[in-house]
Amino acid sequence: MITHNFDYKRPATLQEALGLLSDGSSKVLAGGMSLIPLMKLRLAAPECLVDIGRIADLNYIREENGAIHLGATVTHYQLENSPLLRSKCPLLSETAAHIGDPMVRNRGTLGGSVAHADPASDYPASLLALEADVVIAGASGDRTVTFADFIVETFTTVLEPGEIVREIVVPVEHSSAGYCYEKVVQPASGFAIVGIALRIRKEAGRIAEAHIGVTGLASKAFRAVAAEQALMNGSADPAAAKNAGALIADGVDANSDLYASPEYRNHLARIHGARAIAIALSRAQ
Amino acid sequence: MKIAGTHSLPVPQQRAYEVLQDPVILARCMPGCDRLEKVGEDSYEMKMKMLIASISGLFDGKVRIADKTPFTSFRLIVEGTGKIGFLKGDGLLTLTPNEGGTEVRFDGDVHVGGTIASVGQRLMDTTSKMMIKRFFDKLASEVSS
Amino acid sequence: MDSENSRERICGIFNPGMKHSIHLKINGQRYSHDVEPRLLLIHYLREIAELKGPHIGCETSICGACTVLVDGQAVKSCAMFAVQADGCEVTTIEGLATNGTLHPVQEAFWNEHGAQCGYCTPGMIIAAKQLLDRNPHPNEDEIRHGLEGNLCRCTGYQHIVNAVKAAAEKMGA
Amino acid sequence: MATTTTKTETLVGKRIRRREDPRLITGTATYVDDIQLPGMNHACIVRSPHAAARIKGIDAKAALELPGVVAVFTGADTKDVGPVPCGASLPGLRVPHHYILAIDRVYFVGHPVAVVVASDRYIARDAADLIEVDYEPLPAVADPEKALAPGAPAVHPEWPDNIAFTYQQKGGDTDEAFKNAEVIVKERIVSQRLIPAAMEGRGVVADWKSGDKALTIWTSTQIPHLVRTLVALMLGVPEHHLRIIAPEVGGGFGSKLNVYAEEALMGFIAMRLAKPVKWIESRRENFTCTIHGRGHVDYLELAAKRDGTILGMKMKLIQDLGSYHQLLTPAIPTLSVLMMPGLYKFQNIHAEIVGVFTNCVPTDAYRGAGRPEATHVIERMVDILAAELKMDPAELRLLNFVDNESFPFATATGLTYDSGDYAAPLKKALDIVEYHHLREQQKEARAAGRLFGIGMSTYGEICAMGPSPATPAGGWESATVKIEPTGTVTVMTGVSPHGQGEETTFAQIAADELGVPIDDIVVQHGDTAIVQYGIGTFGSRATAVGGTALYFALQDLKKKIKLFGAMLLQSEDVTFADGVCTCNKSGKTVTLQQIAGASYRAMTLPTNTEPGMVATRFWEPPNFTFPFGAHIAVTEVDRETGDIEIKRYVAVDDCGNIINPLIVAGQIHGGVAQGLGQALFERAVYDDDGQLVSGEFMDYAVPRAHMMPWIETEHTITPSPVNPLGVKGVGEAGTIGASPAIVNSVVDALSPLGVRHIDMPMIPETIWNLIRKGAHA
């Protein structure tokens, strides 16, 4: 319950934050929903926390040049309820609504969740399906990586010491696109046993675009490429959903815990994948 | 927890067998290994700093090599004790030649106790696999360089 | 009670260099203290502000017994450091009644037997208040999901659901 | 002053909102952690991370050097404190000496090894990390059946077979019954280990007044008086110098029906340092170190005739005791044996218990304590028999119920069921769900390939613990009623409510008996310096036993009131009703307030009557009570994923007369939630090394709001003849009824696939595996 001692800094600007992080011994604190519980269990013991929660220009949701830019400290609650996202990138709102519980959604941030890279967190599935970009701020300026490249492994990203996730960029979705985030919840922790995010676009009754991101299943979130390919150019019917769903877990070395073995996890991914595809198809115009 | 897997090393079987027991190389490849000191025949002590994103822990560890059947198999026993818990991995490594070099099969048991066992259940499997993968990836790059 | 003494102690006199000055408003009253960065908001509220309403029920920020409002948003005060609440307005269960009149959610918890042992109740009521602030006419499913961050081991939740429904009716009337 | 208006409305039986709630809903109640004393230290306990290990050394030097650390104590310091007591006695029971801090060996993960005392809890926690304990890990065993296997590690080296006791009970002639059987069904049924997880963990504050040689301990307990007696013995503090206070207690469910090492340890520290000390259990400590519940593996055989008549039952019960006996650990499975026959009239039973040591935290009483296990087993076996005979499970139950004419009914296990109409709640529940229609619906659903289940349980429970000879610590309960000089009323009860609402229900009883407004009554409990000795709150006993003691104390007072009334009215012929004493001849009246005043003023006294208006009664119940009921769960299983949906849940309970329907409903809901938790989600999981891997709420799924179905509650009322209130008890009913109803329902749903039994918790993967196997069968 009681953390180790640490020092605390609360910069007002991103530049100041980057300066504070430059010595490498500090850790970024955003909403703290992952970090603080770990510190309370003494599994994490940073020497210094740099609280970026008050940096005003990290909290925004805005549309620019055909894309939606999301500041790192935007909370899950903000994402869940943003009218802009709800109309132009509803997959992300739907995903945010599945995270934790109302109190966690009030405090937890997009940037914090993404940087923590929990293999059972919700966003990675959607950010992969959305082909999102991550803008990383560092001492020598910003760099942008695709979200797929951002996640390296369980709890591991390309973030270097001293860097901060500045923003996430997601595309403006065509209003005719179908989407779905389907999640099997671990009943104790609320994390995803499996989470599947879908974006589908139909053209003339055939599937013109399909993006599927999967979280919770493996050591890191991934794109279900085989399932996407199976959908592409196929007809938008329930059989297609089932066939493609069956491919979602192909070749996956699945995780296990008290609630789901690897085999069952893979099975859930297939079943819920098919269900997610069916929902997304029904939403697509 | 049972854990098994297969990894490839781009060197011939005999070389693979040797590097897998070379304390200098082991020290470089074992995730978080700070220092490895020989304390006896095939027996070492080490300091480990486990770092998985925010999670960190210092461990006093021991490494032991046993049941050696030169070039085909041996047992690797790794133990670590720290404030956040303790862990013990006991695995049989079996080496067989494959086209690119050597296939190393790992069959073992991982025992974990303390805080990491009581609250980390959800992630035990994933992280154990990841640590082993890191070890072999690092080893592969060490031996090929 | 030597509250000054205990305040001193919990504020961390042994690491004087590390203390941070914080100023916040709790239930309308101003508080200023120098605290260790690691002091959790829940401990600040309970030990220093001496507001014993919010409780501690777990170590992993699952149970919600410590729920309070920070700048109007329900948060688990065990998953927040007091320094993070610097400059914020905090409302605890003690601040919900106005001039001795119970908040409709409190009244409804009483009328509908929403509390048994009472330990989860302060957090549950705060969560229910936020739920109704955001959605004044929730259906049963929305109520249940709106309270999914608050564990109760006594009630089976049914009377809590009834209480939230009753409060919604009263507040909507 | 007492409210002058008298009250005529009867309160017993009414839906009255609780009188304890204002403090709970405003956050002003005082739980243990809310207590602050001047100069108070904080304790943090260092616990073993190993399930079995030798302690080779403890180095506290670094901890002691940390500024703010006051002391560190280890087993060497506390070895003379008496052992943590076991109150249960069974022939041949092996009782390991349970030191409050480990001496040279630890037996389970969480075993207390040392304690740090510091000026604040942050420092105490930091210092705990600085204590170096040198362990030599030893082989451990965490599964009771594995512990029985030859060659298993010995939990206690002195008893290499790991058997703490065996116990046999026979009734009738099972050999004959099984010889005459036309059908015998057998099954292995597991009631998994559960974690009670009261929302408030345990906590202890101890304060020593050296001048008075007086120790006060605040502890989150269900049994303050028993804690007083036993901790006094442990510490060698004379009992009259020890005061125990159970302040607001945040739930117990049996887990605080105990005497724990930490209660004595904090007393020891307070005395040693002559300063108050506080210890608050963390949730992880609560999971690893507070007792668990259940932990059975049962092997069953049920013998019957083809017409469905049950002839007899055999049970071998393997009880996972954990590493030590806590207060009632070995007694819990004997309750399962007592309730083996359930509501059925068969007279032949044979039960054998093997109590097994494992390297786990002890099991002990958890909501229902032995009876949910018994009910689960008999109700599962009856369904298995119904399936075997292709009989309707409701019909099979109705056929075998104890007949209404047979009460009081002597069971094969030696109990006497007090009263009942066992068919009534079942019929009512069947009506509510429109059973025949539901079965038709099920046929249609099955024809469409859906997995639709209807499951019922008809439970009986042994409650109102109980006649003293049948209990480890005395089964009576006490009450004192004081009418103060101004006419207000103070009730002091020996029970120790912690959420059950007796401050309200007992006030209802007193208000009705004395005819005073409920606001003129206060109910006090939980402080041994205020309340006369009592036993406590557990086993659905508070109202049935404690309420009855109150009832009799009130009768004594009413006699005295009439004596004073008669004196004041100068009449022999008076009636006391609605708070007024009336002369039946003149119609003249005196109020209770006037009578109370006169009794204390004592200008004149009735013949042979003492001043004052106080009565105390200790009531010894002549029997247990036996509540019963029927629960029906309607479920549908997702064929693809194994997910279970509870479509309907109906609970018809007969707890005798009802004092407050609002509170009774709350008890049923909460009970069902815990039974449902066991059926679907909860399990304490130890790995093979004895590590508790479900060590926090992250991995142990306590039901949340959205995981609970709507519970439809109804009642039948069969008053108990055991007590004048006619109440039976309701605290555990929901838990006992729920798990078999839900499991029976899901087994019914899967029965077309050949499934006949499923162990708990029925997590979706388990169900999915059964569906897969069934589909391939």
Side-chain angles (χ1 to χ4, degrees):
Chain A
M1 185 71 190
I2 293 163
T3 74
H4 283 289
N5 253 316
F6 57 86
D7 205 357
Y8 173 82
K9 304 275 165 58
R10 193 169 60 221
T13 66
L14 183 60
Q15 278 319 311
E16 203 186 322
L18 291 169
L20 290 167
L21 288 167
S22 59
D23 72 349
S25 66
S26 300
K27 176 100 193 140
V28 176
L29 173 67
M33 293 298 97
S34 304
L35 182 58
I36 295 175
L38 285 174
M39 290 175 69
K40 283 162 58 184
L41 294 164
R42 299 202 163 194
L43 293 174
E47 284 171 34
C48 178
L49 290 183
V50 175
D51 182 356
I52 61 167
R54 302 282 178 94
I55 297 175
D57 59 4
L58 281 181
N59 190 298
Y60 53 83
I61 301 175
R62 59 176 172 244
E63 187 178 348
E64 254 171 42
N65 308 326
I68 300 171
H69 297 253
L70 307 159
T73 63
V74 166
T75 63
H76 312 320
Y77 177 73
Q78 283 176 291
L79 293 181
E80 183 187 347
N81 292 285
S82 154
L84 177 67
L85 277 182
R86 282 186 162 192
S87 69
K88 296 194 171 170
C89 188
L91 175 60
L92 203 55
S93 298
E94 183 160 293
T95 306
H98 278 86
I99 297 172
D101 58 56
M103 281 81 81
V104 168
R105 295 198 288 276
N106 282 341
R107 289 287 304 162
T109 67
L110 175 63
S113 174
V114 160
H116 188 59
D118 191 310
S121 61
D122 295 285
Y123 286 129
S126 296
L127 295 178
L128 284 173
L130 290 163
E131 298 184 310
D133 284 331
V134 183
V135 181
I136 298 169
S140 53
D142 286 0
R143 62 185 177 119
T144 300
V145 297
T146 64
F147 184 74
D149 288 338
F150 178 78
I151 299 280
V152 177
E153 250 300 344
T154 300
F155 292 123
T156 313
T157 68
V158 299
L159 275 179
E160 294 290 339
E163 289 187 320
I164 295 177
V165 172
R166 173 204 276 269
E167 79 172 16
I168 307 287
V169 186
V170 294
V172 169
E173 196 71 276
H174 198 275
S175 64
S176 67
Y179 65 93
C180 177
Y181 181 64
E182 174 103 355
K183 176 180 182 181
V184 182
V185 181
Q186 202 264 39
S189 68
F191 276 100
I193 286 177
V194 177
I196 294 153
L198 248 296
R199 280 168 73 212
I200 282 181
R201 210 164 45 76
K202 286 195 289 201
E203 260 170 33
R206 305 192 77 76
I207 297 169
E209 224 181 304
H211 303 269
I212 306 175
V214 184
T215 190
L217 187 61
S219 61
K220 66 169 186 167
F222 63 92
R223 279 279 286 274
V225 179
E228 289 177 357
Q229 284 168 352
L231 285 172
M232 284 292 286
N233 301 317
S235 59
D237 58 31
K242 197 147 192 180
N243 294 338
L247 298 172
I248 281 185
D250 269 15
V252 173
D253 182 10
N255 299 335
S256 74
D257 70 358
L258 290 176
Y259 287 90
S261 68
E263 195 186 9
Y264 183 56
R265 261 197 166 74
N266 277 335
H267 171 75
L268 286 177
R270 290 183 200 107
I271 297 298
H272 287 279
R275 290 179 186 182
I277 295 167
I279 293 169
L281 283 175
S282 73
R283 286 171 171 177
Q285 279 145 24
Chain B
M1 185 176 61
K2 297 265 176 229
I3 196 146
T6 316
H7 297 270
S8 282
L9 289 179
V11 288
Q13 188 174 341
Q14 182 173 346
R15 172 85 183 120
Y17 185 84
E18 286 160 4
V19 298
L20 280 166
Q21 298 179 23
D22 179 338
V24 178
I25 294 178
L26 284 181
R28 280 208 290 268
C29 299
M30 267 197 259
C33 183
D34 255 10
R35 204 170 69 227
L36 194 71
E37 272 173 30
K38 188 161 180 158
V39 290
E41 184 59 28
D42 289 332
S43 177
Y44 307 89
E45 282 185 0
M46 65 171 170
K47 297 271 177 207
M48 274 196 300
K49 182 165 189 188
M50 194 174 84
L51 247 180
I52 304 171
S54 317
I55 302 173
S56 63
L58 292 171
F59 291 88
D60 287 324
K62 283 183 196 146
V63 181
R64 214 152 46 81
I65 291 163
D67 301 348
K68 294 203 282 190
T69 310
F71 316 139
T72 57
S73 75
F74 68 96
R75 260 175 73 212
L76 185 66
I77 302 135
V78 182
E79 289 176 64
T81 309
K83 279 294 157 202
I84 62 172
F86 55 87
L87 48 98
K88 183 178 176 182
D90 185 336
L92 184 70
L93 283 86
T94 316
L95 288 72
T96 45
N98 68 5
E99 59 265 39
T102 309
E103 186 181 275
V104 185
R105 186 174 165 74
F106 178 87
D107 266 296
D109 255 324
V110 178
H111 300 264
V112 183
T115 306
I116 39 180
S118 63
V119 296
Q121 210 283 327
R122 177 175 77 84
L123 302 163
M124 204 80 75
D125 172 60
T126 326
T127 42
S128 310
K129 278 190 226 160
M130 184 178 76
M131 302 296 265
I132 291 168
K133 183 172 176 298
R134 279 190 193 173
F135 170 72
F136 279 102
D137 285 354
K138 189 82 193 295
L139 194 62
S141 77
E142 278 283 325
V143 294
S144 40
S145 65
Chain C
M1 306 269 156
D2 65 342
S3 55
E4 269 317 309
N5 185 12
S6 68
R7 276 175 204 176
E8 238 352 91
R9 273 185 281 127
I10 202 148
C11 291
I13 50 172
F14 302 109
N15 295 289
M18 291 178 62
K19 282 207 258 179
H20 286 244
S21 197
I22 62 168
H23 311 276
L24 61 167
K25 215 186 226 185
I26 309 171
N27 301 331
Q29 210 179 317
R30 288 180 193 285
Y31 291 78
S32 295
H33 289 97
D34 293 342
V35 300
E36 270 187 347
R38 65 169 171 164
L39 182 67
L40 293 167
L41 179 59
I42 183 67
H43 283 139
Y44 180 82
L45 294 171
R46 289 178 49 82
E47 311 287 334
I48 296 176
E50 296 188 324
L51 295 162
K52 306 288 193 184
H55 297 136
I56 299 169
C58 71
E59 288 177 275
T60 45
S61 303
I62 292 266
C63 83
C66 63
T67 302
V68 301
L69 299 174
V70 174
D71 288 342
Q73 291 204 316
V75 305
K76 295 179 181 178
S77 61
C78 76
M80 193 170 170
F81 297 111
V83 283
Q84 290 176 283
D86 181 25
C88 296
E89 286 201 27
V90 178
T91 306
T92 69
I93 186 73
E94 289 95 333
L96 220 50
T98 43
N99 302 324
T101 307
L102 293 176
H103 186 277
V105 175
Q106 290 174 304
E107 187 78 29
F109 266 67
W110 191 6
N111 290 335
E112 301 297 329
H113 186 21
Q116 286 187 29
C117 82
Y119 200 76
C120 75
T121 308
M124 192 72 81
I125 287 177
I126 296 283
K129 180 197 179 303
Q130 172 178 269
L131 165 66
L132 292 176
D133 288 345
R134 289 178 175 178
N135 177 5
H137 304 289
N139 61 30
E140 186 188 325
D141 192 52
E142 289 166 337
I143 294 171
R144 288 183 185 273
H145 279 280
L147 299 175
E148 69 190 337
N150 298 79
L151 293 181
C152 169
R153 195 59 158 158
C154 293
T155 64
Y157 303 98
Q158 193 152 313
H159 281 161
I160 292 174
V161 171
N162 286 346
V164 177
K165 279 185 200 161
E169 267 172 43
K170 184 154 181 205
M171 289 161 79
Chain D
M1 290 293 283
T3 317
T4 45
T5 51
T6 54
K7 127 197 184 302
T8 50
E9 190 201 10
T10 305
L11 296 181
V12 168
K14 296 261 160 54
R15 185 187 193 277
I16 299 204
R17 64 180 188 173
R18 296 199 321 172
R19 313 179 75 223
E20 32 283 85
D21 286 3
R23 63 178 187 264
L24 302 177
I25 57 176
T26 54
T28 51
T30 303
Y31 299 85
V32 172
D33 197 15
D34 302 338
I35 291 162
Q36 276 183 321
L37 300 175
M40 185 165 69
N41 288 319
H42 294 262
C44 183
I45 296 172
V46 178
R47 297 180 183 275
S48 169
H50 299 280
R54 235 185 298 280
I55 299 172
K56 296 198 294 189
I58 301 174
D59 181 359
K61 192 164 172 288
L64 285 164
E65 281 170 1
L66 190 70
V69 171
V70 176
V72 173
F73 298 106
T74 66
D77 302 300
T78 60
K79 64 181 187 316
D80 295 331
V81 174
V84 178
C86 170
S89 56
L90 290 168
L93 180 68
R94 291 165 168 175
V95 184
H97 191 95
H98 188 169
Y99 291 100
I100 63 170
L101 290 175
I103 302 294
D104 53 3
R105 197 177 160 117
V106 289
Y107 297 88
F108 65 98
V109 168
H111 198 145
V113 170
V115 59
V116 185
V117 188
S119 55
D120 86 39
R121 67 177 91 199
Y122 278 55
I123 296 167
R125 176 66 187 85
D126 288 345
D129 263 6
L130 296 175
I131 292 183
E132 298 292 339
V133 185
D134 188 7
Y135 295 103
E136 179 195 337
L138 297 166
V141 62
D143 176 281
E145 290 193 293
K146 285 182 185 159
L148 288 174
V155 176
H156 297 281
E158 58 270 43
W159 301 308
D161 59 5
N162 289 320
I163 294 175
F165 69 95
T166 56
Y167 173 89
Q168 291 228 2
Q169 189 167 342
K170 288 179 184 180
D173 187 343
T174 38
D175 290 344
E176 186 67 18
F178 276 74
K179 208 164 69 190
N180 294 335
E182 291 164 1
V183 52
I184 293 171
V185 286
K186 300 181 184 182
E187 190 56 69
R188 174 184 185 270
I189 297 179
V190 177
S191 284
Q192 78 275 31
R193 251 186 194 257
L194 299 176
I195 300 178
M199 289 314 300
E200 183 208 24
R202 292 183 293 123
V204 183
V205 170
D207 185 23
W208 170 249
K209 296 276 183 261
S210 55
D212 301 330
K213 294 196 181 339
L215 181 65
T216 301
I217 295 177
W218 289 259
T219 177
S220 186
T221 185
Q222 303 172 221
I223 48 166
H225 284 95
L226 299 179
V227 169
R228 184 192 190 206
T229 303
L230 294 167
V231 170
L233 293 170
M234 289 169 80
L235 290 173
V237 173
E239 191 172 0
H240 64 299
H241 283 184
L242 177 59
R243 174 182 181 185
I244 301 290
I245 302 173
E248 202 79 50
V249 172
F253 317 112
S255 70
K256 297 172 183 173
L257 159 56
N258 229 307
V259 176
Y260 284 100
E262 293 85 355
E263 289 168 324
L265 182 59
M266 292 310 121
F268 170 87
I269 293 169
M271 289 161 70
R272 182 65 77 88
L273 301 176
K275 272 200 156 192
V277 62
K278 178 190 277 188
W279 168 75
I280 299 298
E281 185 182 61
S282 70
R283 180 56 61 188
R284 243 166 351 122
E285 287 178 299
N286 180 257
F287 273 36
T288 50
C289 313
T290 291
I291 63 102
H292 289 178
R294 320 281 188 256
H296 275 210
V297 181
D298 299 333
Y299 290 85
L300 298 134
E301 294 181 44
L302 192 67
K305 290 202 174 288
R306 285 247 152 248
D307 68 0
T309 308
I310 299 171
L311 301 173
M313 184 173 177
K314 293 187 204 168
M315 168 162 73
K316 179 171 181 184
L317 190 170
I318 296 168
Q319 172 72 49
D320 175 0
L321 300 165
S323 51
Y324 284 115
H325 303 313
Q326 278 283 348
L327 192 61
L328 301 170
T329 302
I332 304 303
T334 65
L335 287 171
S336 304
V337 170
L338 288 177
M339 284 312 296
M340 241 175 103
L343 300 180
Y344 309 107
K345 59 192 167 197
F346 65 89
Q347 287 288 336
N348 306 300
I349 64 110
H350 182 189
E352 184 193 349
I353 303 175
V354 184
V356 186
F357 288 123
T358 57
N359 288 105
C360 303
V361 74
T363 52
D364 202 322
Y366 167 56
R367 204 168 193 169
R371 292 151 291 160
E373 297 91 317
T375 302
H376 194 77
V377 154
I378 180 71
E379 288 304 288
R380 283 271 50 243
M381 292 306 288
V382 167
D383 258 35
I384 289 168
L385 177 65
E388 181 75 24
L389 296 173
K390 297 190 169 38
M391 271 182 86
D392 183 279
E395 270 173 47
L396 181 60
R397 283 174 169 82
L398 290 166
L399 175 72
N400 284 288
F401 279 152
V402 172
D403 305 309
N404 288 357
E405 307 75 54
S406 312
F407 292 99
F409 176 80
T411 73
T413 54
L415 299 172
T416 305
Y417 289 173
D418 56 345
S419 63
D421 179 352
Y422 295 161
L426 177 57
K427 285 178 176 164
K428 196 163 189 170
L430 293 170
D431 284 348
I432 291 169
V433 298
E434 298 179 83
Y435 185 61
H436 292 290
H437 176 65
L438 202 58
R439 286 284 180 205
E440 289 303 314
Q441 253 181 284
Q442 182 181 44
K443 270 184 208 158
E444 288 165 27
R446 281 180 177 169
R450 288 161 54 203
L451 300 171
F452 184 99
I454 305 163
M456 64 196 71
S457 75
T458 50
Y459 71 88
E461 44 169 344
I462 173 171
C463 281
M465 308 276 160
S468 294
T471 60
W476 47 267
E477 198 44 86
S478 69
T480 293
V481 184
K482 303 192 289 186
I483 302 176
E484 315 291 1
T486 55
T488 57
V489 181
T490 302
V491 171
M492 296 181 293
T493 174
V495 303
S496 197
H498 44 282
Q500 297 86 352
E502 273 86 13
E503 289 177 36
T504 305
T505 46
F506 282 16
Q508 288 176 260
I509 294 168
D512 277 6
E513 291 298 320
L514 296 176
V516 300
I518 196 163
D519 287 342
D520 285 359
I521 300 168
V522 68
V523 179
Q524 296 185 331
H525 54 83
D527 184 343
T528 62
I530 295 177
V531 178
Q532 71 291 337
Y533 208 97
I535 303 295
T537 291
F538 55 88
S540 304
R541 70 189 303 277
T543 305
V545 191
T548 302
L550 169 63
Y551 174 85
F552 283 115
L554 288 164
Q555 303 316 307
D556 285 358
L557 269 191
K558 278 160 72 176
K559 278 184 211 147
K560 195 164 185 182
I561 289 165
K562 279 170 74 174
L563 286 175
F564 274 95
M567 179 189 81
L568 293 172
L569 292 167
Q570 296 175 319
S571 162
E572 300 277 289
D573 183 13
V574 296
T575 308
F576 177 66
D578 299 333
V580 175
C581 216
T582 309
C583 170
N584 292 335
K585 290 196 186 110
S586 67
K588 279 203 264 184
T589 61
V590 280
T591 64
L592 180 62
Q593 199 181 334
Q594 291 169 314
I595 291 170
S599 77
Y600 287 95
R601 185 66 187 86
M603 292 295 283
T604 54
L605 291 169
T607 322
N608 294 327
T609 304
E610 294 171 357
M613 198 55 81
V614 181
T616 297
R617 283 295 287 267
F618 282 56
W619 185 66
E620 168 66 24
N623 189 4
F624 300 100
T625 62
F626 296 87
F628 56 94
H631 288 203
I632 295 183
V634 183
T635 58
E636 182 153 359
V637 173
D638 184 321
R639 193 180 267 277
E640 288 184 315
T641 62
D643 285 325
I644 295 165
E645 181 199 359
I646 298 184
K647 301 171 84 76
R648 245 185 123 173
Y649 195 96
V650 173
V652 181
D653 297 277
D654 194 323
C655 56
N657 289 335
I658 291 172
I659 312 274
N660 186 331
L662 194 58
I663 289 176
V664 166
Q667 289 294 313
I668 295 293
H669 297 158
V672 169
Q674 288 181 8
L676 178 142
Q678 174 169 23
L680 298 180
F681 307 113
E682 296 179 35
R683 57 173 165 174
V685 183
Y686 281 96
D687 70 10
D688 287 342
D689 302 323
Q691 294 290 331
L692 181 68
V693 292
S694 58
E696 242 278 7
F697 285 134
M698 297 287 286
D699 287 302
Y700 187 90
V702 162
R704 298 174 191 233
H706 65 281
M707 291 148 80
M708 287 297 300
W710 188 259
I711 301 161
E712 302 168 51
T713 55
E714 261 295 346
H715 296 278
T716 60
I717 292 177
T718 309
S720 172
V722 174
N723 61 66
L725 299 171
V727 297
K728 293 196 167 203
V730 72
E732 296 153 299
T735 305
I736 294 170
S739 73
I742 295 167
V743 175
N744 283 344
S745 186
V746 175
V747 171
D748 186 49
L750 300 189
S751 61
L753 304 173
V755 171
R756 121 184 168 139
H757 176 67
I758 308 171
D759 271 329
M760 302 181 287
M762 301 184 294
I763 59 173
E765 179 165 7
T766 305
I767 303 301
W768 173 66
N769 277 320
L770 289 167
I771 294 170
R772 277 201 304 176
K773 263 191 248 156
H776 293 292

